[in-house]
Amino acid sequence: MYIVVKCSFCDKPAIYYNKISGLAYCKVHFIEYFERKVRKTIRKYRMLNPGDHVVVGVSGGKDSMALLHFLLKMKRKILGLEVTAVLVDEGIKGYREKTIPNLTRYAEARGVKYIIAPFKDYIGATLDEIVETSFTRKLPYMPCSYCGVFRRNVLNIVAREVNATVIATAHNLDDVIQTYLMNLINNSWDRILSLAPVREAKGEGIVKRIKPFYEMPEKETALYALINRLVEPEFHQCPYVKYNVRFTIRKVLNELEDRYPGSKHGLLRSLLDIISLHEKAGLLKKEYTKCKICGSPASHSICRSCIFRAELGLLKRDEKSKLEEIINLEPEIKHLLKHYHNLS
Ligand code: SF4
Ligand code: ZN
């Protein structure tokens, strides 16, 4: 016998039940609930302003397609809002080419501006080539570390190229608290404190970054993408997933939430409190500097992406000369380049 749960707002059958609030939603009321909640997050953290040009980081997966779809709808509500989708193609054979068509199909059918930015063009090699070089050179980094750093870097460069005022990424509540726990385990407080929903454009050449899905659980962003038919229902998995501790943490957090509903929101609240306490105590990093090689946001004279590129032998000749100059002027940065074998 099947029990059909009815929507809490009409007579239609429910497609989603929220364990925390005890409310059930049909398709129409779920979309209404989801969009209202994201709009509230955008207002609460002052993410968008009239006339903003938003670059949306899109992978072609469910979260980023959901964000693109939602932000395009926001054009009706925010005067002069411009949206450009940017897909950073890492070059992961057998994986990324399966998700790219989700974006191209969607964008072409609706006349949405999109840009595909390959690692090969911006970084100098595909992620597959990078991983191979890294293993050969015995560098101590996992594929996802390169992927995350380079993806952020390419998105920044493209945002500056198209004069965007905001970069929006589809990190949802689950992503944020997974990163929070991973960094707690590594005692990386700088990274924890950078997990705020908004990073303002403090510093020259720095584009404001926002996470509109900050308070949305992954199952809600996924459902929003599926009911709006934004992605193909089949699931594709990156071959490098096995190297990432995130997926174990994700499993543990899902089990915790299953047994103790509300745990994920509790963790997010504790993260926000920690960030706010540091902010009030004046302990948050106020400004990023500009990388002296590529112009991207950096905590030192050189950004993480350029350090990786140096270690992988991917700097162009003029960039390499710049690096040597920087090392001569600031020998103390050598400690960041421990694995850079071509130091003169
Ligand atoms: Fe990149 Fe890792 Fe995600 Fe694969 S699993 S797309 S390598 S971050
Ligand atoms: Zn750089």
Side-chain angles (χ1 to χ4, degrees), residues 153 291 293-296 302-303 306:
N153 185 259
C291 170
I293 296 181
C294 74
S296 290
I302 324 168
C303 72
C306 287

Side-chain angles (χ1 to χ4, degrees), residues 287-331:
E287 278 204 12
Y288 284 86
T289 51
K290 208 168 147 185
C291 170
K292 287 186 178 161
I293 296 181
C294 74
S296 290
S299 309
H300 305 274
S301 308
I302 324 168
C303 72
R304 190 74 233 164
S305 168
C306 287
I307 293 171
F308 275 162
R309 287 175 61 231
E311 291 173 343
L312 291 160
L314 291 174
L315 289 184
K316 295 180 202 132
R317 192 179 299 176
D318 59 322
E319 292 175 324
K320 222 168 151 181
S321 318
K322 259 193 224 167
L323 178 61
E324 303 299 343
E325 267 172 44
I326 299 166
I327 293 170
N328 280 336
L329 288 170
E330 304 169 48

